[in-house]
Structures are given as structure tokens and as C-alpha cells.
Amino acid sequence: MTRHVIVTGASRGIGEAIARHFVELGDSVVNLSRSLTAPPGVAKSFSVDVADSTAVSDAVKESVGEFGPVEVAVINAGITRDGLSVRMTDDQWREVLAVNLDGAFYCARAALGSMIRARRGSLVFIGSISPFVGVAGQANYAAAKAGLVGLARALAKEVASRSITVNVVAPGLVDTDMTSDLGVARETMAAMIPLGRVATVDDIAGVVGFLASNHARYITGAVIPVDGGLAMGL
Ligand code: NAP
């Protein structure tokens, strides 16, 4: 199996594990992140800020030219700029919305054009349980991740007739750079996880791999929590 798989934010963390997963399956994996770092076996990396619509569409066009129609797109790149709302600056708000929601739309739109022409494909957004459980200090992040669910469901209906599935994977707490400076909040949240441990990046990658596989062709518009039971099904 050699599919053209685009993963945003594959330079590290969850995206890196997702890219590794598809590389191990023999796919041609393309990374879109600001740095050009990528795991071994990734076919190509584009240095792209996903909040830059033109840069995203140029990179995806070049990738399609080189690797053919996009068959799987995993929209994973994301950031946090946490802070209590009363003290949250406009920049903190805008930056998170720009990367996590605008960027997700730009990447999805660019990949879907190619999938629609090929009449097949899987689009997977990496969301979060944050908008479902409410996390103090994450108004910007929760708004962006909640927006992804609406975006995914609208897209799922728009492209279902082309045999394209669109789903959201919602991780709970995963050990990555993003969560490395949470301090005591990390321990408090970790203690609430029914399965008794924080997720590894591979816990998330395996579910993304499943959603992109033939076993999941009848799943679309779904939000799949991968959180050790933290949000109990959302
Ligand atoms: P991470 O380790 O901080 O990695 C973030 C990735 O996104 C990096 O590859 C980064 O690459 C890329 N990125 C950030 N801003 C970008 C931009 N403007 N343009 C292009 N790429 C950008 O974070 P992570 O924990 O793996 O998170 C990955 C996804 O999972 C995010 O959407 C996050 O919201 C979600 N998530 C994480 C957790 C968790 O507990 N870790 C929980 C729920 C959901 P460059 O820096 O090279 O650009």
C-alpha cells in the first residue's frame, strides 16, 4: 500500500508518531510544519505556517504534483497559549484560532480538492476533549477545537457522496512538548484518568491509522475520544 498521506505538524509530538505510523505501512508521507524536521522515512517536508493560506495551498499543490492525489490528510498542527480569559490578550486569542482553526480549514480545503477529483480519501482532524469537559485557561483553544467539530461535520456531509470520510480524534492528556510545562495541573489531570496513565503519542497514532484504513470506511462525521476514559465518551 502506498498512499499519499499529508500530516501537518509531523515534526514532533503526536504528528511525528502519526507520520511514523504511515511510513511503517509503506505510505508516502508528507509533512507540513514550520521546521523541516521529520521522522525517518518521511518522503518530503514543507516549511509551512498552516495559518498562511497561500503557503498551505502551494505546498499541497506541489505535493500532489509529486506524489499524486492526496488519499489521507491528518490535520494535526496545533498550539496552546493558555491563560484565564479576563487576562487573555487579543494576540493569544487570535494566534490559537489562526493556527488551530483557520489553519485546519486551509489544510482541509487544499487536500479535499485533490480527494474530490480522485473520489476517495480520509480526512482526520486532531481535536481535543478540552471543549467537551471545559478546561479553565483554555477559552481560545477550546473554541478552536470545538470549531473543528462543526467544520468536520459540515465537510463530512459535503464530501460523503465522493466516498471521502471526515472525522475528529479527540485526545485527552498526551505526553508531548505541548503538555511538558503544565506542572501540577498535569498531575491533577493525570490522576483523574480512569485507565490510570497519560496517553503516549502512539495511542493516538493507532486510532488515526484505523480511521484512514479500509476498516473505517463506514465511519464519518464522528468524534472519537482517545483519552483513557477522562471524558467518558464526551
Ligand atoms: P507539539 O508537540 O507541540 O507539536 C505541535 C506540532 O504542530 C509541531 O509539529 C509543530 O511544528 C506544529 N505546528 C505548530 N504551529 C504550527 C504552525 N503555525 N504551522 C505549522 N505547523 C505548526 O504538540 P502535540 O501535543 O503533538 O499536539 C498535536 C495536536 O494534538 C495539536 O493539534 C494539539 O492541540 C492536539 N492535542 C494534544 C494534546 C496533548 O495532550 N498533547 C491533547 C489533545 C489534543 P513546528 O513547530 O515545526 O511548526
Side-chain angles (χ1 to χ4, degrees):
M1 174 165 50
T2 302
R3 299 169 296 184
H4 177 191
V5 178
I6 291 185
V7 182
T8 72
S11 60
R12 55 198 157 84
I14 294 170
E16 194 258 356
I18 293 168
R20 254 192 300 109
H21 177 92
F22 287 111
V23 166
E24 280 161 19
L25 292 176
D27 293 321
S28 298
V29 181
V30 173
N31 167 40
L32 266 60
S33 60
R34 291 165 304 179
S35 77
L36 286 170
T37 316
V42 161
K44 189 156 187 155
S45 273
F46 290 91
S47 175
V48 164
D49 180 342
V50 294
D52 179 342
S53 157
T54 308
V56 167
S57 96
D58 288 350
V60 173
K61 262 187 216 140
E62 195 179 325
S63 197
V64 169
E66 194 167 342
F67 301 102
V70 182
E71 283 163 86
V72 179
V74 185
I75 317 292
N76 161 79
I79 57 167
T80 48
R81 296 286 180 268
D82 291 357
L84 293 176
S85 296
V86 287
R87 281 190 235 119
M88 186 174 285
T89 64
D90 292 357
D91 281 350
Q92 266 175 298
W93 173 266
R94 266 280 19 116
E95 205 184 334
V96 169
L97 270 288
V99 174
N100 296 6
L101 187 57
D102 299 356
F105 172 67
Y106 300 148
C107 295
R109 182 178 58 185
L112 278 174
S114 155
M115 288 180 186
I116 288 168
R117 284 190 293 281
R119 299 182 81 84
R120 65 172 184 277
S122 309
L123 194 63
V124 182
F125 291 100
I126 305 301
S128 168
I129 63 164
S130 180
F132 298 97
V133 297
V135 178
Q138 292 203 318
N140 50 0
Y141 183 78
K145 294 297 190 183
L148 281 187
V149 176
L151 171 61
R153 288 186 167 160
L155 292 178
K157 289 219 170 153
E158 289 181 19
V159 299
S161 64
R162 303 296 204 281
S163 305
I164 299 165
T165 61
V166 185
N167 292 292
V168 179
V169 168
L173 184 60
V174 191
D175 265 332
T176 66
D177 291 352
M178 184 176 274
T179 51
S180 61
D181 60 356
L182 285 180
V184 72
R186 180 196 177 281
E187 302 320 314
T188 308
M189 207 186 286
M192 291 161 58
I193 300 171
L195 283 180
R197 66 172 176 86
V198 171
T200 67
V201 289
D202 293 317
D203 288 323
I204 313 302
V207 176
V208 172
F210 163 71
L211 286 171
S213 76
N214 281 336
H215 299 295
R217 295 321 299 156
Y218 204 59
I219 301 176
T220 198
V223 180
I224 315 276
V226 188
D227 63 351
L230 190 54
M232 275 291 144
L234 303 175

